[in-house]
Amino acid sequence: MKKVAAETAAARVIAGSTAARIAAGAAAVAVALALPLVLDDSALAVYVLLGLAAIVTVGVSLLMGFAGQVSLGQGAFYGVGAYTAALLTLNGFPPLLGLVAAPLVAALFAAVIGMPLLRLRGHHLAFATLAVQLILLSLAGQLEFTGGDIGLQAIPQFGVGSWEMDGAAAYAWLTWGALALVMLVTHHVITSRPGRALRALATSETAAASSGIPVGRYKLVVFALSAAFAGLAGGIYCFYTGYVAPGSFPVLISIQYIVMAVVGGLGTVWGAVAGAGAITLLVQGLDRLAALPGMPSYAPSVLSYAVYALVLIVVVLFLPQGLVPALTRRDRPPKTSRASRGVPGD
């Protein structure tokens, strides 16, 4: 009887926790849809950039938190998506086709370079992906069809047929709709059988391979999927700004995505959104601080690196699992005692 009662109580706690999470998710969706109606233009710009960063960070969290692969080159895939959408649109193709092609081309590019790169592990893989971004930035600054250092300008607004977006609020809804799609895809991936295989892969590639998991294929697929997320964000970014150049995708942006994922909580979908929000708002505050009279020209980059380092140290020391796992830990169902599980005491 005690065992049945304990199991019933645990089931009620789990059901209550699930209902609370569903309610919290519905509230978050309602707030996300309502905010563009009340924010001014400057706040809307931050809101759009926050959503774009969250899209990329979800892919980083999936890649690092579940597959155990470290990438410092997500900014490269972000740029590939942006340039793909911009080039197609400037050459007469519909903007919708450009936006659809952006994640596909980014994923294809990631799959091609991933076949040799994913033979590396740990910091070797991180440095290799960083090198890829540096090479792409150098090429984009020299090739004529990418506009060189000047970049591509006068990119048409996103639209379907004769309808075009004409305001930041529309781009905010597009961005957060894309984020919802990315979160939904990621949720289905991590709760599926391949998701369990990814967890095993992150724990030990040798053990996963001995269990029959095709390690190389899974690593390549999740690498390409995270790149597709970044490419989608890059496609929206090019239409929103109407301009892309090598300077739009600095190396610091890839480091920023890593910091966002770690701060929010690696291996969690909502953690990526929370981390992106926290770091984006922090960066905006630092930019305003760096713009104050008397601040040197190098203040923005110096402040960014210093604060990123400080934030990482604080999170590693006091919140090693990130913000979201630390805040939701109390919602986990209580463990049943040994007696309630039918296990005799010591």
Side-chain angles (χ1 to χ4, degrees):
M1 293 297 292
K2 290 182 179 180
K3 180 179 180 181
V4 173
E7 291 178 350
T8 302
R12 289 176 179 174
V13 172
I14 293 173
S17 177
T18 302
R21 290 180 181 179
I22 293 175
V29 170
V31 172
L33 293 176
L35 278 177
L37 300 174
V38 297
L39 296 176
D40 58 25
D41 290 341
S42 61
L44 265 177
V46 176
Y47 190 58
V48 172
L49 294 177
L50 192 160
L52 294 177
I55 293 173
V56 184
T57 308
V58 169
V60 173
S61 184
L62 176 65
L63 182 65
M64 293 181 60
F66 286 93
Q69 308 302 308
V70 182
S71 172
L72 289 177
Q74 294 303 109
F77 306 128
Y78 188 54
V80 167
Y83 272 102
T84 298
L87 286 169
L88 287 175
T89 307
L90 288 173
N91 284 280
F93 290 93
L96 180 60
L97 177 61
L99 185 59
V100 172
L104 297 179
V105 172
L108 178 61
F109 175 72
V112 171
I113 67 169
M115 285 187 284
L117 291 188
L118 291 177
R119 297 177 182 272
L120 304 173
R121 297 181 183 180
H123 63 279
H124 296 97
L125 176 60
F127 290 150
T129 53
L130 178 61
V132 168
Q133 182 170 354
L134 293 173
I135 293 171
L136 285 181
L137 290 177
S138 178
L139 290 175
Q142 297 178 15
L143 295 176
E144 182 178 353
F145 75 93
T146 59
D149 289 329
I150 297 176
L152 302 174
Q153 305 179 30
I155 300 172
Q157 296 289 319
F158 179 76
V160 179
S162 59
W163 174 81
E164 289 186 353
M165 288 188 172
D166 58 354
Y171 280 101
W173 284 317
L174 174 63
T175 299
W176 286 80
L179 174 59
L181 175 62
V182 165
M183 293 174 68
L184 183 63
V185 170
T186 304
H187 174 75
H188 282 294
V189 168
I190 62 180
T191 55
S192 64
R193 184 177 180 181
R196 293 190 292 271
L198 287 177
R199 293 189 185 92
L201 188 154
T203 302
S204 172
E205 291 187 14
T206 303
S210 64
S211 301
I213 296 174
V215 173
R217 186 191 310 168
Y218 273 61
K219 288 168 61 176
L220 188 61
V221 169
V222 74
F223 188 65
L225 182 60
S226 68
F229 293 166
L232 176 60
I236 298 174
Y237 173 83
C238 89
F239 290 118
Y240 175 62
T241 61
Y243 167 78
V244 292
S248 305
F249 316 101
V251 173
L252 181 61
I253 198 171
S254 293
I255 299 174
Q256 182 174 301
Y257 296 140
I258 300 293
V259 175
M260 289 175 178
V262 172
V263 169
L266 282 175
T268 62
V269 179
W270 284 102
V273 180
I279 299 301
T280 300
L281 296 178
L282 180 61
V283 169
Q284 293 299 317
L286 291 175
D287 288 343
R288 292 187 179 184
L289 177 62
L292 293 176
M295 298 293 288
S297 60
Y298 54 82
S301 59
V302 172
L303 285 175
S304 296
Y305 281 112
V307 172
Y308 287 163
L310 181 60
V311 168
L312 279 176
I313 291 172
V314 171
V315 169
V316 169
L317 288 178
F318 301 103
L319 298 171
Q321 294 182 336
L323 291 174
V324 169
L327 294 175
T328 57
R329 191 177 303 157
R330 66 186 62 183
D331 295 333
R332 296 176 183 175
K335 295 182 179 179
T336 56
S337 65
R338 294 172 62 89
S340 64
R341 297 196 304 267
V343 178
D346 294 333

